[in-house]
Amino acid sequence: MVDIKISGRKVTVSDALRDRVNEKIGDALKVFDISPMSCDVVLRVDKNPSNPDRKTCEVTVFVRKNVVRVVASADDMYAAIDEASDKVTRQLRKYKTRVIDRRQRSQVPPAPVPSADELANLITPAPEEEDDQLVREKYVELTPMSEEEALVQTDLLGHDFYVFTNATTGLVNVIYHRKNGGYGIIKPKVEENPDA
């Protein structure tokens, strides 16, 4: 049984909501039985009344040394929880395919990744924040890993980008989703290939 911690932001977590989270998210976590695994669920309501999908369910699953994070929003909290559970199921299946199965084939242990506390809100500013102000500083532990491992971590976290230390060069790189599909990578100028 996975321990699911449930909290609310600008919403009271009723027994009915707690039961729905335990049922739906609990079922999603049963996709595969792996230890250690824990889960944090945050239910929140956006205070902007013009946003039709004001109810949000954020789920962060800690699987061994990896983090799987999903966010789902709807006009109803129960619908947001249901959508989040579907996303968690898909992400955990992806985790199993891309991390566990690949590791068993290669027998090479993956590089450690930063904790969820360091990454959870890295790219999502709160809606009430001004775009032209620096309102938050975030410090992340840069972990050496390959570009492929960084791609996997970006997908598992559901982020648009991921900052890491390139294990080959020892320099900081940023991998990101491109708007027109695929991925891009930002590297320091010193990595530029002079023969290209």
Side-chain angles (χ1 to χ4, degrees), residues 160 176-184:
D160 292 332
Y176 63 95
H177 288 275
R178 293 172 44 93
K179 288 182 183 176
N180 59 348
Y183 294 90

Side-chain angles (χ1 to χ4, degrees), residues 145-154 162 164-169 173 175 185 187 191:
M145 64 180 64
S146 69
E147 292 174 7
E148 183 176 318
E149 289 169 324
L151 274 173
V152 169
Q153 193 60 36
T154 303
Y162 187 75
F164 67 103
T165 300
N166 188 314
T168 305
T169 64
N173 289 184
I175 204 153
I185 189 162
K187 298 181 177 184
E191 283 190 51

Side-chain angles (χ1 to χ4, degrees), residues 73-94:
S73 297
D75 61 352
D76 174 74
M77 189 60 79
Y78 292 96
I81 293 167
D82 292 352
E83 184 182 338
S85 75
D86 292 342
K87 287 183 175 184
V88 167
T89 301
R90 287 193 301 272
Q91 288 295 81
L92 287 176
R93 284 188 179 132
K94 185 185 291 186

